[in-house]
Every structure is written in C-alpha cells, then in structure tokens.
Amino acid sequence: MSPVYALLRRDLLLSVRLGGSLALALGFYIVTGTLIGLGLGPEPALLARAAPGLIWVLALLSTLLALDRLFQADFEDGSLELMALSEAPLSLLVLAKILCHWLTTGLPLILGTPILALLFGLSLDDLWVLILSMALGTPALSLIGGIGAALTVGIRRGGLLLSLLVLPLYVPVLIFAVAAVEAASAGLDATPHLLLLAATMLVALAIAPAAAAAALRLHLS
C-alpha cells in the first residue's frame, strides 16, 4: 500500500500548494450559482423549486473542470509508465488519484453547498438531504469521470471529448439525487432515492478503477 499512499500524498500536496483545481471548481460552483440565483429573481418559491436541479447541475459541471488533468500530467512527464510498472496494482493507483480528485473537488463542493442552499432558500431538512445526496453522488461523479479521463488521456483537446463521454453517464446520479431532494421538499421519504444513489456509487466503485486502469494500459502499449 506504500506506493498508493505515496501517490495520494503527492497529489494532495500538489493540489494544496497549487490550489488550481480546488479554487477553480469551488469558485465556479459558488459564483455561477450566485449569478443564476440573481438571474431568477427574488421569488422564494421559484428559487426553492429550482434549487435541487440547478445545484446538482452546477456540481456536475464543476466536477468536470479538473477531470481532463486527472492523468494528463502523469502521462506527459512519464509518471504514468512508472505507475504501470509499480508493485502496486494500477487499479489501486488509479483509485488513489480518483480519491484525490474527490477530496479536492467533490468535498469542497459539499462544504460550499450550504451557501447556495441559503441563497436559494432551501429549508434545513431539504439541505440535509441535499448534502447527503452530494456525499453519495460526488464520489460517483469522480469515479465515472476517471474512466473518461483515462480514455481521453494523451488526446489533443480531449476536454470536449471527455465531456461528451462522461455527461451521459452522469444522468442516473443527477436523477436520483434531485429526486431525493424533491421528495424531501414534498414531505415524502427520500430514502429510496438515496439508496439508489448509494448503489450507483458502489457500482462505480467496483467498475471504475479497473476500467480506467485498462484504458491507461491501452494508451501505454
């Protein structure tokens, strides 16, 4: 496990020192959400009704911002070849990089969600369901995005292709997460939707590291 820990530690230190992906994702999330809220106007009912879908769409787009660099830097400087030759399975190293992406993108989005919830006038109960859906859904976004990032690594202007590959796969996460918050807003039980969201995350966890590792090996062969 030492290569996995070393890789995770290295990527986290680089993310903290450079601050690019964290500031970019969180800044886009908060600023764009604020602009949309101002554009919709001061009607509380409209803001609260639109909030779940808008916040989650912003989370999807914010997650995409740093995905194209997930493996690109390692591919360019040759680190990816060393990862493939490491004693640790490549799938575990891929999982470490995906975890780093979530810690520097998904987790800040969760922490920033109460700001947008306050802007859109969500109730406290709805906010808790929204945060729980983000906690279950954002790891799935990073895992699914990891597959797309591995498939497009080394491709010139691969960011657009990455978006086209990943966004359709994000649809189930979006549907289950928004449905959970809307159910809570209507006074219904959000548990079934959250369970489906958790199942989606577990399926992505089981499939994504191996699939991304296989895609990276194809690029290295």
Side-chain angles (χ1 to χ4, degrees):
M1 295 299 293
S2 57
V4 178
Y5 172 75
L7 178 63
L8 179 61
R9 184 174 180 272
R10 185 206 69 170
D11 283 4
L12 285 175
L13 287 175
L14 287 175
S15 298
V16 171
R17 288 173 182 173
L18 299 177
S21 60
L22 191 153
L24 182 63
L26 186 58
F28 176 84
Y29 184 61
I30 299 297
V31 172
T32 308
T34 302
L35 291 175
I36 292 175
L38 293 173
L40 289 176
E43 180 59 41
L46 175 61
L47 290 173
R49 186 169 64 252
L54 286 176
I55 290 175
W56 257 102
V57 168
L58 288 174
L60 298 185
L61 297 177
S62 300
T63 302
L64 278 174
L65 290 178
L67 268 180
D68 62 331
R69 300 297 299 174
L70 185 59
F71 302 110
Q72 190 65 34
D74 291 322
F75 179 79
E76 292 172 353
D77 65 12
S79 299
L80 200 57
E81 295 183 9
L82 296 178
M83 289 167 56
L85 296 174
S86 170
E87 61 184 25
L90 183 57
S91 58
L92 282 180
L93 297 175
V94 166
L95 183 59
K97 292 191 69 68
I98 292 174
L99 176 59
C100 180
H101 176 270
W102 180 80
L103 289 173
T104 56
T105 303
L107 185 58
L109 294 183
I110 296 173
L111 298 177
T113 294
I115 299 174
L116 291 185
L118 178 64
L119 173 67
F120 285 100
L122 283 180
S123 67
L124 185 60
D125 291 339
D126 295 348
L127 173 59
W128 283 116
V129 175
L130 176 60
I131 291 176
L132 184 56
S133 71
M134 295 280 285
L136 293 172
T138 50
L141 300 182
S142 294
L143 288 163
I144 296 170
I147 301 175
L151 288 170
T152 57
V153 69
I155 297 178
R156 190 176 182 183
R157 296 181 181 177
L160 178 59
L161 179 59
L162 172 62
S163 300
L164 294 175
L165 288 173
V166 168
L167 283 176
L169 300 177
Y170 280 174
V171 171
V173 177
L174 177 64
I175 291 174
F176 298 146
V178 173
V181 183
E182 290 181 343
S185 300
L188 303 175
D189 187 9
T191 303
H193 306 291
L194 293 174
L195 290 176
L196 288 171
L197 193 57
T200 304
M201 187 264 289
L202 291 175
V203 170
L205 179 61
I207 295 175
L216 292 175
R217 289 190 186 279
L218 285 176
H219 284 286
L220 294 174
S221 60

